[in-house]
């Protein structure tokens, strides 16, 4: 049973003077991505597919170097398109993100609609899986579209209730054959919870 892991980049270096897709990982983000390498689920990954955004590629490259794999970049795995507003201060961003999830058929302040972002990420992941050879695969991307993918795979309506925990650097896993969620969001750098503990 091949497993797909959808991994979101951890913390980034916020810089309002450059476009958001060009932001890289912060020192904390790099440390968390490196700590991910010690987690037992990482060892089975045989393919790494990344968004073209710098923070995702940097995360994917840390994983790829450890596993001695190449990174496949799929530009259309990018985060929901927010270029209409550019950088927003965190409180304003959170308010607009709430509206993005609550009104999936509407473009909020020029942002890509949630339904369109969901269709795009689902299509890109499906196209990548169409060439998969039965290997466990890691998709490295972003919290917004990752949540939209998770909701699609769960058969749930678009809402923010399934959003990843704050800060990024989380992952969920699903059975590729059944397209069934194995588990929801977990931190990339902490062991999975043990049953009965």
């Amino acid at each position: 049973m091949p497993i797909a892991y959808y991994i979101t980049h951890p913390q980034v270096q916020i810089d309002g003077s450059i476009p958001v897709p060009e932001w890289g990982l912060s020192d904390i983000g790099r440390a968390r991505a490196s700590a991910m390498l010690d987690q037992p689920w990482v060892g089975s990954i045989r393919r790494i597919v990344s968004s073209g955004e710098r923070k995702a590629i940097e995360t994917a490259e840390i994983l790829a170097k450890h596993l001695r794999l190449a990174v496949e970049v799929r530009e259309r795995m990018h985060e929901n398109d927010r270029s209409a507003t550019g950088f927003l201060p965190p409180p304003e961003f959170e308010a607009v993100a709430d509206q993005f999830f609550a009104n999936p058929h509407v473009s909020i302040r020029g942002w890509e609609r949630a339904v369109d972002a969901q269709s795009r990420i689902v299509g890109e992941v499906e196209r990548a899986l169409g060439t998969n050879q039965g290997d466990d695969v890691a998709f490295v991307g972003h919290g917004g579209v990752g949540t939209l993918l998770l909701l699609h795979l769960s058969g749930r309506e678009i809402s923010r209730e399934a959003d990843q925990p704050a800060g990024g650097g989380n992952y969920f896993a699903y059975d590729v054959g059944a397209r069934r969620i194995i588990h929801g969001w977990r931190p990339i750098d902490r062991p999975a919870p043990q049953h009965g503990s």
Side-chain angles (χ1 to χ4, degrees), residues 2 22 44-45 49 97 124 133 147 154 163-164 182:
E22 294 172 26
S44 69
I45 293 168
V49 184
E124 280 304 289
Q133 303 298 315
T147 297
S154 306
D163 201 2
Q164 70 167 346
I182 296 169

Side-chain angles (χ1 to χ4, degrees), residues 144-160:
V145 290
T147 297
L148 294 170
L149 177 64
L150 175 63
L151 288 165
H152 170 80
L153 290 163
S154 306
R156 292 152 66 190
E157 295 293 319
I158 292 176
S159 80
R160 202 171 184 187

Side-chain angles (χ1 to χ4, degrees), residues 116-197:
D116 296 330
Q118 184 179 58
S119 175
R120 174 174 54 75
I121 191 64
V122 169
E124 280 304 289
V125 166
E126 285 297 319
R127 276 187 280 281
L129 290 175
T131 60
N132 206 46
Q133 303 298 315
D135 293 323
D136 286 3
V137 56
F139 292 99
V140 184
H142 311 275
V145 290
T147 297
L148 294 170
L149 177 64
L150 175 63
L151 288 165
H152 170 80
L153 290 163
S154 306
R156 292 152 66 190
E157 295 293 319
I158 292 176
S159 80
R160 202 171 184 187
E161 70 177 55
D163 201 2
Q164 70 167 346
N170 298 285
Y171 75 105
F172 68 83
Y174 69 97
D175 175 330
V176 171
R179 301 296 195 269
R180 181 183 55 78
I181 297 290
I182 296 169
H183 65 74
W185 293 118
R186 292 178 179 169
I188 58 171
D189 52 346
R190 289 207 284 281
Q194 299 298 309
H195 294 295
S197 62

